[in-house]
């Protein structure tokens, strides 16, 4: 008998079903996104020589799928949907259906061959959900506050105030849950203390890094800066040398690093002379601030890697 070819799987995840495409078998099918569907999918894949399963990150719907396939020992990778869209455009695939999307994802898996990425442990996933929810509640409080400030009707303004008070109560309870989750893990508790020893890093920054940057302390500084999205990207063509800029990465992590860097500069920490040297050489303030963010991230990476607290050094 002929040996089966290596299989690359693309899965388009939606709320109620999974569209699956197998390459190079060119076979398409779909299953419901429930317990029975996931069990059937895992059984089918374990009987095939699957090299890689690729799913798009679809707002959380992919989490249960990834967990079920990872539990079955299948190699998988969750990718940014923008990567798939750019790949489809490069291949001239402009039409869009669930089946076609699954086919493009499978083709992406076969051609690009992204490295297999281990899923975060359940405790970290739970912690990340709490931190994300906190960010959502703060966003809702800001939006409702703006609506209240613009409201002319007094009754509407009172209703908005009640809703803001409710959200603020939820925020307090959520902060308590986040704190208890960290206290339950001695490793996280120690890491949070190490992170907060750095000037400008408070509870929000430390907890966001714990939840959404598990690679901190395990990879090199250049790779980490690219992962967060604060590494300068070249924009050159021929003799033209474009302005370097940052893009991509994990926006939530980049956001808290921005605020931490801003706080460190304003409070006269050792990062301030570094910022002033850059602006003194004519660098724009935003460019200098991004450089401080990068320096701060490199410092945090070294602190977590070496498990040693902050020691003030010349910036």
């Amino acid at each position: 008998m002929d040996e089966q070819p290596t299989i690359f799987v693309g899965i388009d995840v939606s709320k109620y079903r999974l569209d699956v495409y197998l390459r190079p078998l060119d076979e398409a099918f779909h299953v419901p996104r429930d317990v029975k569907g996931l069990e059937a999918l895992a059984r089918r894949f374990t009987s095939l020589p699957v090299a890689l399963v690729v799913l798009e990150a679809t707002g959380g719907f992919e989490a249960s799928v990834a967990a079920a396939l990872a539990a079955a020992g299948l190699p998988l990778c969750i990718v940014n949907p923008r990567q798939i869209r750019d790949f489809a455009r490069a291949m001239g695939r402009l039409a869009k259906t669930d089946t076609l999307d699954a086919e493009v994802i499978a083709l992406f898996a076969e051609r690009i061959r992204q490295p297999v990425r281990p899923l975060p442990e359940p405790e970290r996933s739970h912690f990340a959900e709490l931190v994300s929810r906190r960010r959502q509640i703060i966003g809702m409080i800001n939006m409702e506050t703006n609506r209240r400030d613009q409201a002319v009707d007094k009754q509407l303004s009172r209703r908005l105030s009640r809703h803001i008070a409710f959200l603020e109560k939820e925020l307090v309870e959520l902060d308590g849950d986040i704190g208890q989750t960290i206290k339950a893990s001695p490793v996280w508790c120690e890491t949070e203390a190490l992170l907060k020893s750095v000037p400008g890093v408070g509870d929000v920054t430390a907890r966001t890094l714990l939840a959404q940057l598990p690679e901190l302390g395990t990879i090199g500084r250049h790779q980490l800066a690219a992962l967060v999205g604060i590494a300068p990207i070249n924009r050159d063509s021929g003799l033209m040398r474009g302005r370097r800029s940052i893009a991509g990465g994990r926006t939530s992590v980049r956001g808290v690093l921005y605020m931490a860097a801003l706080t460190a500069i304003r409070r006269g920490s050792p990062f301030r002379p570094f910022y002033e040297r850059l602006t003194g050489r004519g660098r724009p303030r935003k460019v200098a601030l991004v450089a401080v963010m990068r320096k701060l991230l490199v410092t945090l990476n070294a602190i977590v890697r070496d498990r040693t607290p902050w020691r003030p050094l010349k910036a």
Side-chain angles (χ1 to χ4, degrees):
M1 294 179 64
D2 294 335
E3 186 179 351
Q4 277 188 302
T6 301
I7 305 299
F8 294 89
V9 182
I11 303 179
D12 182 68
V13 182
S14 59
K15 187 174 183 180
Y16 298 110
R17 83 174 200 176
L18 308 173
D19 285 271
V20 184
Y21 198 93
L22 308 180
R23 283 191 58 86
L25 301 181
D26 291 329
E27 180 182 346
F29 61 93
H30 63 83
V31 297
R33 196 183 71 88
D34 56 20
V35 174
K36 290 183 178 180
L38 292 175
E39 288 178 351
L41 199 63
R43 283 196 303 270
R44 182 166 185 175
F45 287 169
T46 51
S47 66
L48 296 172
V50 173
L52 182 63
V53 180
V54 172
L55 306 89
E56 285 185 327
T58 54
F61 290 135
E62 79 286 351
S64 59
V65 184
L69 297 181
L74 292 161
L76 63 91
C77 180
I78 301 174
V79 301
N80 190 317
R82 187 177 63 182
Q83 287 181 272
I84 304 297
R85 288 196 300 270
D86 291 345
F87 177 78
R89 293 192 189 100
M91 297 295 294
R93 303 287 188 95
L94 302 181
K96 180 176 173 60
T97 66
D98 292 339
T99 302
L100 290 176
D101 286 349
E103 181 182 359
V104 169
I105 296 171
L107 187 61
F108 176 89
E110 184 181 41
R111 301 285 175 82
I112 305 302
R113 305 202 180 189
Q114 290 276 94
V116 175
R117 298 172 183 171
L119 294 180
E121 61 271 21
E123 293 80 6
R124 192 180 294 276
S125 295
H126 170 68
F127 185 51
E129 285 184 355
L130 293 178
V131 172
S132 296
R133 183 55 183 165
R134 184 185 190 280
R135 188 169 60 253
Q136 293 165 2
I137 289 178
I138 290 176
M140 287 190 286
I141 290 174
N142 291 335
M143 288 188 288
E144 290 293 78
T145 301
N146 291 336
R147 294 186 184 108
R148 183 189 61 186
D149 294 343
Q150 296 172 5
V152 178
D153 186 273
K154 292 184 178 180
Q155 185 177 3
L156 177 60
S157 179
R158 286 195 294 271
R159 288 178 176 174
L160 288 167
S161 294
R162 286 199 299 270
H163 191 212
I164 292 169
F166 169 78
L167 290 173
E168 289 174 341
K169 182 180 177 182
E170 286 289 305
L171 184 62
V172 171
E173 293 180 2
L174 195 56
D175 281 336
D177 291 341
I178 292 172
Q180 289 300 320
T181 303
I182 292 176
K183 289 179 182 178
S185 170
V187 175
W188 285 359
C189 201
E190 180 192 1
T191 305
E192 184 190 34
L194 289 171
L195 294 173
K196 289 168 65 175
S197 70
V198 179
V201 177
D203 287 342
V204 175
T205 302
R207 292 172 179 182
T208 302
L209 292 173
L210 279 173
Q212 298 179 346
L213 196 62
E215 299 87 352
L216 193 67
T218 64
I219 59 177
R221 58 179 184 174
H222 299 297
Q223 187 180 358
L224 190 65
L227 190 65
V228 176
I230 55 175
I233 298 174
N234 295 348
R235 307 279 183 183
D236 301 338
S237 179
L239 298 177
M240 189 272 290
R241 293 294 178 266
R243 178 178 294 179
R244 273 51 176 164
S245 62
I246 60 174
R250 300 177 187 176
T251 55
S252 57
V253 177
R254 191 165 61 244
V256 296
L257 279 177
Y258 175 86
M259 295 306 299
L262 203 59
T263 301
I265 292 169
R266 289 177 175 174
R267 292 186 178 178
S269 75
F271 292 99
R272 185 182 179 92
F274 174 69
Y275 172 81
E276 290 176 343
R277 283 202 303 272
L278 292 176
T279 54
R281 295 172 187 168
R283 295 295 180 92
R285 291 179 182 272
K286 286 187 177 180
V287 172
L289 185 57
V290 171
V292 174
M293 291 167 60
R294 195 157 52 246
K295 189 176 184 66
L296 179 61
L297 182 63
V298 169
T299 302
L300 293 168
N301 192 48
I303 283 175
V304 174
R305 181 195 64 214
D306 300 337
R307 312 305 293 179
T308 56
W310 162 263
R311 293 191 184 96
L313 296 173
K314 186 177 180 180

